[in-house]
Structures are given as C-alpha cells and as structure tokens.
Amino acid sequence: MISKDDIEAFEIFNSSQMNDYQRAAVSTAIYKKEHAVIYPALGLAAEAGEVANKVKKIMRDGDFDREAIADEIGDCLWYIAALCRDLNVDMENVAYSNLEKLHSRQKRGTLRGNGDKR
C-alpha cells in the first residue's frame, strides 16, 4: 500500500530521471508523426500482453524467467515514454499524479473496487 512516506520519498527522489529516460527513449522512435498516440498505445498493449504471456508460462511450465519478464516490462516502459511524449506530458508528472491518486484512494478506503472516480 502506498503511504504519505512513499509520496514524500518520491518527492526526494530525483524524478527528473524519468523525464531523462523519456527523452532518451523517444530519441529511438521511428514511427511516423501521423501515427502518434496510436502507434505507442497499440505497442504498449502488445508488450503488456507479452508480459502476461511470460507470467502465464510460469503457471503452465513452472519456469520463472525474471529477466525475460523484466525485458518485456522495459519494452512497456519505452512505449509509455513514447505515448507520454505524443500526449505532451512528462512521465514524472504521470507517475507523481498516479501516486497522489492512489494515496487519496487509500486514505478514503477506496483502493478496492471499480471505476476511475473512486
């Protein structure tokens, strides 16, 4: 569970590193500008599916390949960086806003349940 200490730790953390990653990652983007938002959103969905598939194989085969899963998570991170760039938002702001939202839900006892407006 996220706590106020977690949010304060994030504020101390040099979160500009997320924006540094974002800039470095998108410097390798080669998709056309007319495919902005759509291309990275579809890529993110595909890579998240690959993460899920690697985890599924743990159940089927009993093989836990931490590095393979981490590689797929890294691909997700790249697509998140590209999507943030295309939406003109900083990854740092997205991450911090998400922590604030989760902390608020925790304080109100609404971490469980459905819907965006909990």
Side-chain angles (χ1 to χ4, degrees):
M1 298 246 251
I2 195 162
S3 69
K4 181 74 173 153
D5 291 337
D6 295 325
I7 291 176
E8 289 170 0
F10 187 77
E11 290 170 347
I12 294 168
F13 168 72
N14 183 2
S15 56
S16 66
Q17 291 174 339
M18 296 189 81
N19 292 337
D20 291 343
Y21 172 84
Q22 182 179 353
R23 281 188 292 278
V26 299
S27 72
T28 64
I30 58 172
Y31 57 92
K32 296 177 182 179
K33 287 186 180 187
E34 61 262 27
H35 298 146
V37 178
I38 297 167
Y39 182 87
L42 293 173
L44 177 57
E47 292 299 338
E50 290 190 36
V51 170
N53 193 46
K54 299 262 187 236
V55 171
K56 175 199 73 173
K57 289 180 180 178
I58 296 170
M59 294 170 56
R60 185 188 70 193
D61 303 334
D63 294 331
F64 178 59
D65 190 343
R66 180 184 313 269
E67 287 183 27
I69 296 169
D71 285 344
E72 299 302 341
I73 293 170
D75 292 339
C76 288
L77 189 60
W78 186 93
Y79 281 107
I80 290 168
L83 189 55
C84 284
R85 188 266 318 256
D86 291 353
L87 294 171
N88 197 31
V89 296
D90 292 330
M91 286 180 69
E92 172 187 355
N93 293 340
V94 170
Y96 187 74
S97 293
N98 183 258
L99 285 176
E100 286 183 318
K101 175 183 75 177
L102 294 173
H103 181 67
S104 172
R105 286 180 180 173
Q106 183 182 38
K107 281 177 67 173
R108 293 179 285 116
T110 59
L111 276 175
R112 296 178 188 234
N114 296 335
D116 291 335
K117 304 295 181 194
R118 290 183 265 151

Short mmCIF file of all heavy atoms in Angstrom, two decimals, residues 5-42:
data_model
loop_
_atom_site.label_atom_id
_atom_site.label_comp_id
_atom_site.label_asym_id
_atom_site.label_seq_id
_atom_site.Cartn_x
_atom_site.Cartn_y
_atom_site.Cartn_z
N ASP A 5 4.58 8.58 3.30
CA ASP A 5 6.03 8.45 3.24
C ASP A 5 6.50 8.09 1.83
O ASP A 5 7.53 8.56 1.38
CB ASP A 5 6.53 7.40 4.24
CG ASP A 5 6.35 7.84 5.68
OD1 ASP A 5 6.26 9.06 5.93
OD2 ASP A 5 6.30 6.96 6.55
N ASP A 6 5.72 7.23 1.16
CA ASP A 6 6.07 6.86 -0.21
C ASP A 6 6.06 8.08 -1.12
O ASP A 6 6.95 8.26 -1.95
CB ASP A 6 5.10 5.80 -0.76
CG ASP A 6 5.19 4.49 -0.03
OD1 ASP A 6 6.31 4.10 0.39
OD2 ASP A 6 4.14 3.84 0.13
N ILE A 7 5.03 8.89 -0.98
CA ILE A 7 4.93 10.10 -1.80
C ILE A 7 6.06 11.06 -1.47
O ILE A 7 6.69 11.63 -2.36
CB ILE A 7 3.55 10.76 -1.64
CG1 ILE A 7 2.48 9.86 -2.28
CG2 ILE A 7 3.52 12.15 -2.26
CD1 ILE A 7 1.07 10.32 -2.11
N GLU A 8 6.36 11.21 -0.17
CA GLU A 8 7.46 12.09 0.22
C GLU A 8 8.78 11.56 -0.30
O GLU A 8 9.63 12.33 -0.75
CB GLU A 8 7.48 12.26 1.74
CG GLU A 8 6.32 13.10 2.24
CD GLU A 8 6.19 13.09 3.74
OE1 GLU A 8 7.00 12.42 4.43
OE2 GLU A 8 5.25 13.74 4.24
N ALA A 9 8.97 10.23 -0.30
CA ALA A 9 10.20 9.64 -0.83
C ALA A 9 10.29 9.92 -2.33
O ALA A 9 11.37 10.18 -2.86
CB ALA A 9 10.23 8.14 -0.57
N PHE A 10 9.17 9.87 -3.02
CA PHE A 10 9.17 10.16 -4.45
C PHE A 10 9.56 11.60 -4.70
O PHE A 10 10.28 11.90 -5.64
CB PHE A 10 7.79 9.87 -5.06
CG PHE A 10 7.77 10.00 -6.55
CD1 PHE A 10 8.30 8.99 -7.34
CD2 PHE A 10 7.25 11.12 -7.17
CE1 PHE A 10 8.30 9.10 -8.72
CE2 PHE A 10 7.24 11.24 -8.54
CZ PHE A 10 7.76 10.23 -9.32
N GLU A 11 9.13 12.51 -3.81
CA GLU A 11 9.49 13.91 -3.96
C GLU A 11 10.99 14.11 -3.76
O GLU A 11 11.59 14.97 -4.40
CB GLU A 11 8.70 14.77 -2.97
CG GLU A 11 7.23 14.86 -3.32
CD GLU A 11 6.39 15.50 -2.24
OE1 GLU A 11 6.88 15.65 -1.10
OE2 GLU A 11 5.23 15.81 -2.53
N ILE A 12 11.60 13.32 -2.88
CA ILE A 12 13.03 13.41 -2.64
C ILE A 12 13.80 12.79 -3.81
O ILE A 12 14.83 13.29 -4.23
CB ILE A 12 13.41 12.72 -1.31
CG1 ILE A 12 12.79 13.49 -0.14
CG2 ILE A 12 14.91 12.59 -1.16
CD1 ILE A 12 12.85 12.75 1.18
N PHE A 13 13.27 11.70 -4.35
CA PHE A 13 13.87 11.02 -5.48
C PHE A 13 14.01 11.99 -6.64
O PHE A 13 13.13 12.80 -6.89
CB PHE A 13 12.99 9.83 -5.89
CG PHE A 13 13.33 9.20 -7.20
CD1 PHE A 13 14.46 8.44 -7.35
CD2 PHE A 13 12.50 9.37 -8.30
CE1 PHE A 13 14.77 7.85 -8.56
CE2 PHE A 13 12.80 8.80 -9.51
CZ PHE A 13 13.94 8.04 -9.64
N ASN A 14 15.10 11.94 -7.33
CA ASN A 14 15.31 12.81 -8.48
C ASN A 14 14.42 12.33 -9.62
O ASN A 14 14.87 11.62 -10.52
CB ASN A 14 16.78 12.81 -8.87
CG ASN A 14 17.07 13.76 -10.01
OD1 ASN A 14 16.18 14.46 -10.49
ND2 ASN A 14 18.31 13.77 -10.44
N SER A 15 13.16 12.71 -9.55
CA SER A 15 12.20 12.21 -10.52
C SER A 15 12.47 12.74 -11.92
O SER A 15 11.91 12.23 -12.88
CB SER A 15 10.78 12.53 -10.07
OG SER A 15 10.64 13.91 -9.86
N SER A 16 13.33 13.73 -12.05
CA SER A 16 13.66 14.20 -13.39
C SER A 16 14.34 13.10 -14.19
O SER A 16 14.40 13.17 -15.41
CB SER A 16 14.55 15.44 -13.32
OG SER A 16 15.80 15.13 -12.76
N GLN A 17 14.82 12.06 -13.49
CA GLN A 17 15.41 10.92 -14.20
C GLN A 17 14.37 10.26 -15.10
O GLN A 17 14.71 9.73 -16.15
CB GLN A 17 15.97 9.90 -13.22
CG GLN A 17 17.19 10.40 -12.49
CD GLN A 17 17.65 9.43 -11.42
OE1 GLN A 17 16.90 8.59 -10.94
NE2 GLN A 17 18.90 9.54 -11.03
N MET A 18 13.10 10.31 -14.69
CA MET A 18 12.06 9.74 -15.53
C MET A 18 11.95 10.53 -16.83
O MET A 18 11.78 9.95 -17.90
CB MET A 18 10.72 9.74 -14.79
CG MET A 18 10.73 8.85 -13.58
SD MET A 18 9.11 8.65 -12.87
CE MET A 18 8.48 7.39 -13.97
N ASN A 19 12.05 11.84 -16.73
CA ASN A 19 11.99 12.66 -17.93
C ASN A 19 13.25 12.48 -18.77
O ASN A 19 13.19 12.52 -20.00
CB ASN A 19 11.76 14.12 -17.58
CG ASN A 19 10.38 14.34 -17.00
OD1 ASN A 19 9.46 13.56 -17.23
ND2 ASN A 19 10.23 15.40 -16.23
N ASP A 20 14.39 12.26 -18.12
CA ASP A 20 15.63 11.96 -18.86
C ASP A 20 15.45 10.66 -19.64
O ASP A 20 15.83 10.57 -20.81
CB ASP A 20 16.82 11.82 -17.91
CG ASP A 20 17.22 13.14 -17.27
OD1 ASP A 20 16.82 14.21 -17.76
OD2 ASP A 20 17.94 13.09 -16.24
N TYR A 21 14.88 9.65 -18.98
CA TYR A 21 14.61 8.39 -19.67
C TYR A 21 13.67 8.62 -20.84
O TYR A 21 13.90 8.11 -21.94
CB TYR A 21 14.00 7.34 -18.71
CG TYR A 21 13.56 6.12 -19.47
CD1 TYR A 21 14.47 5.11 -19.79
CD2 TYR A 21 12.25 6.00 -19.95
CE1 TYR A 21 14.08 4.01 -20.54
CE2 TYR A 21 11.86 4.91 -20.70
CZ TYR A 21 12.77 3.92 -20.99
OH TYR A 21 12.39 2.85 -21.76
N GLN A 22 12.62 9.41 -20.60
CA GLN A 22 11.64 9.67 -21.65
C GLN A 22 12.32 10.28 -22.87
O GLN A 22 12.11 9.83 -24.00
CB GLN A 22 10.55 10.60 -21.12
CG GLN A 22 9.45 10.90 -22.11
CD GLN A 22 8.38 11.81 -21.52
OE1 GLN A 22 8.37 12.12 -20.34
NE2 GLN A 22 7.46 12.24 -22.36
N ARG A 23 13.15 11.29 -22.66
CA ARG A 23 13.85 11.93 -23.78
C ARG A 23 14.77 10.95 -24.50
O ARG A 23 14.81 10.90 -25.73
CB ARG A 23 14.63 13.15 -23.29
CG ARG A 23 13.78 14.37 -23.07
CD ARG A 23 14.63 15.61 -22.76
NE ARG A 23 15.30 15.51 -21.46
CZ ARG A 23 14.72 15.79 -20.30
NH1 ARG A 23 13.47 16.17 -20.26
NH2 ARG A 23 15.39 15.68 -19.17
N ALA A 24 15.52 10.17 -23.73
CA ALA A 24 16.44 9.21 -24.35
C ALA A 24 15.69 8.13 -25.10
O ALA A 24 16.08 7.74 -26.21
CB ALA A 24 17.35 8.60 -23.28
N ALA A 25 14.62 7.63 -24.51
CA ALA A 25 13.86 6.55 -25.15
C ALA A 25 13.24 7.01 -26.46
O ALA A 25 13.36 6.33 -27.48
CB ALA A 25 12.77 6.04 -24.19
N VAL A 26 12.59 8.16 -26.44
CA VAL A 26 11.90 8.59 -27.66
C VAL A 26 12.85 9.03 -28.74
O VAL A 26 12.45 9.13 -29.91
CB VAL A 26 10.83 9.66 -27.37
CG1 VAL A 26 9.76 9.12 -26.44
CG2 VAL A 26 11.43 10.93 -26.85
N SER A 27 14.12 9.22 -28.39
CA SER A 27 15.09 9.55 -29.45
C SER A 27 15.28 8.36 -30.38
O SER A 27 15.82 8.52 -31.48
CB SER A 27 16.43 9.97 -28.84
OG SER A 27 17.11 8.86 -28.28
N THR A 28 14.81 7.18 -29.97
CA THR A 28 14.92 5.99 -30.83
C THR A 28 13.62 5.69 -31.56
O THR A 28 13.54 4.70 -32.28
CB THR A 28 15.31 4.75 -29.99
OG1 THR A 28 14.27 4.45 -29.06
CG2 THR A 28 16.63 4.98 -29.25
N ALA A 29 12.60 6.53 -31.38
CA ALA A 29 11.30 6.31 -32.03
C ALA A 29 11.42 6.55 -33.53
O ALA A 29 12.00 7.55 -33.96
CB ALA A 29 10.24 7.22 -31.42
N ILE A 30 10.85 5.63 -34.31
CA ILE A 30 10.94 5.77 -35.76
C ILE A 30 9.57 5.75 -36.45
O ILE A 30 9.50 5.71 -37.66
CB ILE A 30 11.85 4.68 -36.38
CG1 ILE A 30 11.33 3.29 -36.04
CG2 ILE A 30 13.29 4.86 -35.93
CD1 ILE A 30 12.06 2.16 -36.77
N TYR A 31 8.50 5.81 -35.69
CA TYR A 31 7.19 5.78 -36.32
C TYR A 31 6.81 7.17 -36.84
O TYR A 31 7.32 8.19 -36.40
CB TYR A 31 6.13 5.22 -35.37
CG TYR A 31 5.97 5.94 -34.05
CD1 TYR A 31 5.06 6.98 -33.92
CD2 TYR A 31 6.72 5.57 -32.95
CE1 TYR A 31 4.89 7.63 -32.72
CE2 TYR A 31 6.56 6.22 -31.74
CZ TYR A 31 5.66 7.25 -31.62
OH TYR A 31 5.50 7.90 -30.44
N LYS A 32 5.91 7.18 -37.80
CA LYS A 32 5.51 8.42 -38.46
C LYS A 32 4.68 9.29 -37.51
O LYS A 32 3.93 8.79 -36.69
CB LYS A 32 4.67 8.10 -39.70
CG LYS A 32 5.45 7.36 -40.75
CD LYS A 32 4.57 7.00 -41.93
CE LYS A 32 5.38 6.22 -42.95
NZ LYS A 32 4.55 5.83 -44.10
N LYS A 33 4.81 10.60 -37.68
CA LYS A 33 4.09 11.54 -36.82
C LYS A 33 2.58 11.36 -36.93
O LYS A 33 1.86 11.55 -35.95
CB LYS A 33 4.47 12.98 -37.16
CG LYS A 33 5.84 13.35 -36.69
CD LYS A 33 6.14 14.81 -36.90
CE LYS A 33 7.56 15.09 -36.40
NZ LYS A 33 7.89 16.49 -36.40
N GLU A 34 2.10 10.97 -38.08
CA GLU A 34 0.65 10.78 -38.21
C GLU A 34 0.15 9.56 -37.43
O GLU A 34 -1.04 9.36 -37.28
CB GLU A 34 0.21 10.70 -39.68
CG GLU A 34 0.81 9.56 -40.46
CD GLU A 34 2.02 9.96 -41.30
OE1 GLU A 34 2.72 10.93 -40.95
OE2 GLU A 34 2.27 9.28 -42.31
N HIS A 35 1.10 8.74 -36.94
CA HIS A 35 0.74 7.58 -36.13
C HIS A 35 0.96 7.84 -34.63
O HIS A 35 0.87 6.91 -33.82
CB HIS A 35 1.53 6.35 -36.56
CG HIS A 35 1.23 5.95 -37.96
ND1 HIS A 35 2.17 5.39 -38.78
CD2 HIS A 35 0.10 6.04 -38.71
CE1 HIS A 35 1.64 5.14 -39.97
NE2 HIS A 35 0.38 5.54 -39.94
N ALA A 36 1.24 9.12 -34.30
CA ALA A 36 1.44 9.48 -32.90
C ALA A 36 0.22 9.07 -32.09
O ALA A 36 -0.90 9.05 -32.58
CB ALA A 36 1.66 11.00 -32.79
N VAL A 37 0.45 8.72 -30.87
CA VAL A 37 -0.51 8.24 -29.89
C VAL A 37 -0.97 6.82 -30.24
O VAL A 37 -0.88 5.92 -29.42
CB VAL A 37 -1.72 9.18 -29.68
CG1 VAL A 37 -2.71 8.60 -28.68
CG2 VAL A 37 -1.25 10.56 -29.21
N ILE A 38 -1.45 6.62 -31.45
CA ILE A 38 -1.98 5.31 -31.84
C ILE A 38 -0.88 4.24 -31.81
O ILE A 38 -1.06 3.17 -31.22
CB ILE A 38 -2.64 5.36 -33.23
CG1 ILE A 38 -3.85 6.31 -33.19
CG2 ILE A 38 -3.05 3.98 -33.71
CD1 ILE A 38 -4.38 6.68 -34.55
N TYR A 39 0.25 4.52 -32.45
CA TYR A 39 1.33 3.54 -32.52
C TYR A 39 1.83 3.13 -31.13
O TYR A 39 1.88 1.94 -30.82
CB TYR A 39 2.48 4.08 -33.38
CG TYR A 39 3.61 3.11 -33.56
CD1 TYR A 39 3.60 2.18 -34.59
CD2 TYR A 39 4.70 3.12 -32.69
CE1 TYR A 39 4.63 1.27 -34.74
CE2 TYR A 39 5.75 2.22 -32.84
CZ TYR A 39 5.71 1.30 -33.87
OH TYR A 39 6.74 0.41 -34.01
N PRO A 40 2.19 4.09 -30.26
CA PRO A 40 2.67 3.66 -28.94
C PRO A 40 1.58 3.04 -28.07
O PRO A 40 1.87 2.16 -27.26
CB PRO A 40 3.25 4.93 -28.32
CG PRO A 40 2.62 6.05 -29.06
CD PRO A 40 2.34 5.54 -30.44
N ALA A 41 0.33 3.46 -28.23
CA ALA A 41 -0.74 2.85 -27.44
C ALA A 41 -0.92 1.38 -27.83
O ALA A 41 -1.06 0.51 -26.97
CB ALA A 41 -2.05 3.62 -27.62
N LEU A 42 -0.90 1.11 -29.12
CA LEU A 42 -1.02 -0.28 -29.57
C LEU A 42 0.22 -1.09 -29.19
O LEU A 42 0.12 -2.26 -28.79
CB LEU A 42 -1.25 -0.33 -31.08
CG LEU A 42 -2.59 0.22 -31.57
CD1 LEU A 42 -2.62 0.27 -33.10
CD2 LEU A 42 -3.74 -0.59 -31.01
#
